[in-house]
Amino acid sequence: MRFHQAAGSAAVTALLLLAAPSAGAVSGQGGSAGPAGPAGPAGLSETVTVDPTGRLAADGTVTLSGTYRCTGGTGRTFVSSSLSQGDSRVRKSVGGTRAVCDGAEHRWRNTDRTDPGRFEAGAATVEASVMELRFGGLPLPMFHAAAEQSVTLVADVA
């Protein structure tokens, strides 16, 4: 995984979300796929997963989802995601979801509109991360978990 790309994408998404109204994470359990993230600060398991299928609407709207688990968050925490298809160096940030770091597994779902035709049904790669902004003068990012997952984009039938 290209950690610097994920870190940059997550930081930009999180900074943009600071101005947005808070949206609570949706609790739940369900199927998930993808590798687990690194261990958390206290050695507890913190993870983010990406579901193996993403949705692609005719107008270019992309929806990605998965699960996350984090602990010990004291600042604003988000699940950010980015999508690439073809050239893996070119990524598109796909939304962000406010995260709750209570040690329980939660579902995340990010949706963002892209230019129609930018992505097509088929194989793609998603990077997802759980990132917290800690304030001590300047907001500093702290990563709880990150994952990269191959997915299949499926066209929504209108």
Side-chain angles (χ1 to χ4, degrees):
M1 179 173 122
R2 293 166 186 81
F3 181 77
H4 290 75
Q5 289 176 335
S9 175
V12 169
T13 299
L15 289 173
L16 291 174
L17 288 173
L18 281 176
S22 295
V26 178
S27 294
Q29 296 183 2
S32 61
L44 300 173
S45 178
E46 296 189 300
T47 60
V48 62
T49 68
V50 178
D51 290 338
T53 302
R55 307 298 301 178
L56 178 63
D59 68 355
T61 300
V62 174
T63 301
L64 305 171
S65 58
T67 64
Y68 74 92
R69 179 189 317 264
C70 59
T71 59
T74 59
R76 287 190 171 207
T77 306
F78 304 91
V79 178
S80 64
S81 57
S82 63
L83 179 66
S84 67
Q85 193 173 48
D87 185 350
S88 63
R89 297 173 298 166
V90 179
R91 300 199 145 282
K92 164 69 173 129
S93 177
V94 178
T97 302
R98 186 85 186 263
V100 177
C101 289
D102 60 3
E105 183 176 84
H106 298 275
R107 297 276 312 152
W108 64 268
R109 180 178 173 212
N110 292 344
T111 300
D112 203 355
R113 191 167 181 176
T114 67
D115 293 330
R118 177 167 184 181
F119 296 105
E120 58 186 38
T125 302
V126 174
E127 288 184 5
S129 63
V130 179
M131 195 269 309
E132 176 182 353
L133 286 178
R134 292 205 174 158
F135 293 90
L138 292 174
L140 299 173
M142 185 198 136
F143 288 88
H144 289 264
E148 182 177 69
Q149 175 72 35
S150 294
V151 300
T152 301
L153 290 179
V154 177
D156 284 335
V157 177

